[in-house]
Structures are given as C-alpha cells and as structure tokens.
Amino acid sequence: MSNKMYENFTEVLKHELVPALGCTEPIAIAFTAAKAREVLGHMPEKMKVSCSGNIVKNVKSVTVPSTDGLKGIASSAIAGAVNGDSSLEYEVLKPITRENVETVRHFLEEGMCEVGLLDTEAVLDIEVRMSAGNDSVVVEVKDEHTHIDHIEKNGEIIYQAKSEAAAENAVMLDPDTTLPDILWYADHVDLNDVKDIIEEQINKNLMIAEEGLRRPYGANVGKNIMKTCRDCTDKAVAYAAAGSDARMDGCKLPVVINSGSGNQGLTVSMPVYIFAEEYNVSHEKMLRAVVFSNMTAIYQKSKLGKLSAYCGAVSAACASGAAITYMLGGTYEQIENTLTNAIATLSGIVCDGAKASCAAKIATAVDSAILAHKMAMSGDVLKSGEGLIADTLQETIEAYTTMGRDGMRETDRMILKMMTS
C-alpha cells in the first residue's frame, strides 16, 4: 500500500467514526436549524423546513433524542432552534433540557414550523428558512449530514461552499480501493493512528447496547433475542439490535457511527466485539478486526451512496461477518467467500425509513452474516452465475451495489410516495 492510500484510509476512519446522538437524519435537521438560529441571532417567529425525500423517509417515524418521545421533522427543527449547538455537529441536541422540551411542545402546538418536500436531485438535502421581525435566514445542508452548502441572511449570501474546493477537500475513500488493500491496512496499520477512535466506537456502542438490554426501548428486539440466547451468535445479534432499539427510541447515549449511520456503526462493531470476547481474541487482533469491519462497510457504502432504498444494515452486517472470519484466522479466500455469501443472501432488504424495525433488520442481517461466516469456514460458498454473483468478489460487489444504487431508485420513490400519501 502506498503512503497516500494509507493516509487516505486513516483519514476516512477519523472522518466517518464520530459520536452521534440519536438517528443522524433528525440530527441533520436539528443541526441546520441550530445554525440558522445562530445566524438569525435570536429565536425565530416562523420556520419552514424543506427536505429531500430520503430525509423525510428517515425522520418520519424515529424519536428525536432528548425530546421525551417527540418525532418528525418539525420536532427536530424546533429542538435545534430552541437550544441546539451547531458546533457539536452530530451531538447538536446534547444541551436540550426538560424545560427546552416544554418549549418545543409549545411551538409545535402553535404551528410555528411549516414542513415541505424539497425539489432536489440530492438524496441528502435540507433547507431551513426562519424569520423574526425584519430579519430572515436561509441555511442549506447538502450531501453530508453536517455539510453546510450555503447561508443567506436578509437576502444576501453570506456563505457559499465552493463545489470545486469541496470536491478537492472531501474526505472520500480512494476509488481504486480493493478488498486486499483493506486487508493489508487492517494487518499493518499502526494502531497508534486509529486506536482511540476504534476503542471509542467499541466502548460507546457497547454502552448503548447494554442500555438497550437493560430497559424497554422500541420493539425490544435485542431483549427478546437475549431471553432465549443459546450461543455467541445470538448474543452478537442481540447486542447489535439492542443498541438500535435504544437509539431509535430516543436514548440520550451517543453511538459512534459508520457511513453517517449509528445503526451501521453498531452493526460493524458489536458482533466483532462479542465474538472476540467469546473466543478470547487478543485486544490488538480485535481492534484490527473492527478496523477491517469499518473499512469494508465504508468500501461498500462508497459505491451505494449515503442514503438509498438499500438498507445500510446489509453492508454493515456483511462487513461484520467478514471481519469475524478475518479475526478467527480465516484465509483470504474464506474472507471473500463470507462477503459473497452474505451479500448474495441479504441484498434486497429495503430501507423504509428509520424506526423501531431497524433493530429487527439489523438482527436479521447479522444472523445471516454469521451464517455466511460459518459456511465460508466450512468451505461452502454460493457460486458464480447464481443470481448476481460474478466471477470475482469485486464484480459481485459492483453488481449488487449498482442494483442498490440505480436499480432501487424507483423503489425509493414508491416508498416515499406511499409514506407521504
């Protein structure tokens, strides 16, 4: 691996693995509204929030953190405007107090915030307009959850992201990346470069998973699995699902995300951690396996895009299963075969928004990914020519991600149409 690619991988990990409070789409709305209120200089009298379809889909049914059970676009925006801190980015709602929640409820009842659908080609696009007296502000966040595209105050553009500069400075995975590159990086990365963020991911995600197993959240998917836990596989599935149970239901504990998603952050880390504990894997090997899991998920998502009708838990679970194979001494061929088995089995699970059932989808995906691992370790692999499986793993990933990115666009439109009608 060249020094340039090594530095790219390390930078990508540091960029992607950050703490987030709650589901990242409501948080993105709260971040945009908090920034708009800060520019306005005082609490607005009126607000309008317009979002792309994928944002609408992922905010409709999920609990906004720190709001005692409030849901939806207006709740997210008003919470951000009332006491959000945009400098905290994914943890923008951390300062919200009980008194603030009552204020949010009051503004909701007053109908202060109008909600609309944004006419945009971008899958991640949020525009907040707010006014008070003679002052007005427009803030747009686009492409990434905390990337401000432009700010307008009283009809004058006061900030405009330069698209050329943004493209040059964007932290993106090297497009020439292959699975052998990721494997080499996991084997050879200086852990001093990534240890802090990987350990933070494990520790924070373990904390919220344990919280999800202790108390009732959402549909209690993780708790129900643990009631009849038979082995390490059930425990790995339960921990990943329980973390999602908690965060989808507004738990105030943060999750360290992957590819802009807390659910994906949980899915790439918890199963690997549980298997490492079960098999007494060394701390170093476990860290390297979590590096491999994160990078493999990011590799798949770089081809899919941040948001689509293709459930992100699929990519994350496939990566987690392959990382378990890697951690337990599997050969390169067995690692490849784990990914082939998992991708061919799981692809097609649709994303119909962020909500309680995300935990059940994570449970299904992780269970299938561990089955894919067991098959690969036994020498069993789904064959080329079956469905979209190609001659090489690289071609197989290209086939399934193209199907998810391009082929499922109409599915995405239909899901949004059904939700909004």
Side-chain angles (χ1 to χ4, degrees):
M1 175 178 284
S2 67
N3 287 338
K4 183 178 179 182
M5 184 172 278
Y6 179 97
E7 290 169 2
N8 171 249
F9 279 24
T10 304
E11 188 179 13
V12 164
L13 275 178
K14 291 178 178 179
H15 176 73
E16 294 284 356
L17 274 59
V18 295
L21 188 65
C23 179
T24 49
E25 278 69 57
I27 288 299
I29 291 174
F31 168 81
T32 311
K35 187 65 180 180
R37 187 253 304 148
E38 289 160 10
V39 174
L40 189 65
H42 42 85
M43 192 64 194
E45 296 166 359
K46 293 182 180 179
M47 296 172 57
K48 180 174 182 181
V49 184
S50 302
C51 307
S52 57
N54 284 82
I55 296 293
V56 173
K57 183 176 73 173
N58 280 345
V59 180
K60 173 179 175 289
S61 303
V62 70
T63 301
V64 183
S66 302
T67 64
D68 292 340
L70 296 177
K71 297 182 179 182
I73 292 171
S75 299
S76 305
I78 295 173
V82 166
N83 199 25
D85 182 350
S86 70
S87 69
L88 298 177
E89 296 194 333
Y90 286 97
E91 294 183 282
V92 59
L93 294 182
K94 198 172 183 178
I96 295 290
T97 65
R98 188 171 297 277
E99 291 75 19
N100 294 148
V101 175
E102 292 308 311
T103 304
V104 173
R105 290 184 186 278
H106 168 73
F107 284 133
L108 280 170
E109 291 169 4
E110 292 291 312
M112 185 188 87
C113 183
E114 182 184 349
V115 173
L117 185 64
L118 200 59
D119 184 12
T120 175
E121 292 295 317
V123 294
L124 197 166
D125 204 343
I126 301 162
E127 180 187 82
V128 171
R129 294 175 175 269
M130 57 175 60
S131 61
N134 295 322
D135 293 325
S136 63
V137 167
V138 180
V139 176
E140 183 177 13
V141 162
K142 195 173 182 179
D143 298 329
E144 292 196 16
H145 293 81
T146 58
H147 175 256
I148 297 172
D149 183 76
H150 74 272
I151 301 173
E152 178 183 325
K153 185 171 185 181
N154 296 331
E156 180 183 349
I157 299 290
I158 62 173
Y159 172 78
Q160 177 68 62
K162 296 180 180 178
S163 57
E164 298 83 3
E168 290 175 4
N169 297 324
V171 180
M172 297 169 58
L173 190 66
D174 189 311
D176 295 327
T177 296
T178 63
L179 189 69
D181 293 326
I182 295 171
L183 184 62
W184 188 96
Y185 181 79
D187 279 338
H188 296 92
V189 62
D190 183 345
L191 288 180
N192 290 323
D193 292 338
V194 297
K195 182 179 179 181
D196 288 349
I197 56 172
I198 298 299
E199 288 188 335
E200 182 183 32
Q201 184 182 55
I202 294 165
N203 293 336
K204 280 187 165 58
N205 293 2
L206 180 62
M207 192 177 298
I208 196 170
E210 290 175 339
E211 170 68 7
L213 291 170
R214 266 194 306 268
R215 299 179 56 202
Y217 287 100
N220 297 305
V221 176
K223 285 169 69 71
N224 277 295
I225 294 168
M226 282 300 287
K227 286 178 183 177
T228 56
C229 182
R230 299 159 298 175
D231 55 20
C232 178
T233 296
D234 286 347
K235 188 175 180 181
V237 171
Y239 269 66
S244 179
D245 282 324
R247 72 179 291 267
M248 291 288 97
D249 203 24
C251 177
K252 295 182 180 180
L253 293 173
V255 172
V256 174
I257 66 178
N258 178 293
S259 303
S261 164
N263 281 342
Q264 290 171 58
L266 286 160
T267 306
V268 296
S269 58
M270 286 298 92
V272 181
Y273 169 80
I274 295 299
F275 266 76
E277 291 285 295
E278 175 72 16
Y279 287 90
N280 296 313
V281 174
S282 71
H283 189 64
E284 177 181 339
K285 187 65 176 178
M286 184 265 289
L287 291 177
R288 294 188 182 280
V290 177
V291 167
F292 180 81
S293 187
N294 275 288
M295 289 303 303
T296 304
I298 292 167
Y299 170 60
Q300 294 172 79
K301 287 294 288 184
S302 69
K303 298 175 181 296
L304 278 165
K306 290 282 185 186
L307 300 172
S308 70
Y310 185 106
C311 177
V314 169
S315 303
C318 292
S320 195
I324 291 169
T325 301
Y326 162 78
M327 183 173 67
L328 298 185
T331 64
Y332 176 72
E333 182 180 12
Q334 288 170 324
I335 294 168
E336 275 200 334
N337 290 349
T338 301
L339 279 167
T340 298
N341 290 338
I343 291 170
T345 303
L346 289 166
S347 296
I349 296 179
V350 298
C351 173
D352 53 343
K355 61 217 170 302
S357 68
C358 289
K361 292 184 182 184
I362 288 172
T364 299
V366 171
D367 190 62
S368 289
I370 294 172
L371 171 61
H373 150 73
K374 292 174 180 177
M375 290 170 61
M377 295 299 274
S378 297
D380 295 312
V381 61
L382 302 173
K383 303 298 183 184
S384 172
E386 297 176 350
L388 296 182
I389 301 174
D391 291 339
T392 68
L393 176 65
Q394 190 91 359
E395 291 171 324
T396 298
I397 291 174
E398 290 288 347
Y400 279 102
T401 53
T402 299
M403 179 270 293
R405 184 187 65 247
D406 300 333
M408 295 178 75
R409 282 180 182 164
E410 184 56 36
T411 302
D412 217 20
R413 286 190 285 266
M414 181 57 70
I415 289 170
L416 178 63
K417 181 179 178 181
M418 294 172 74
M419 281 183 169
T420 54
S421 64

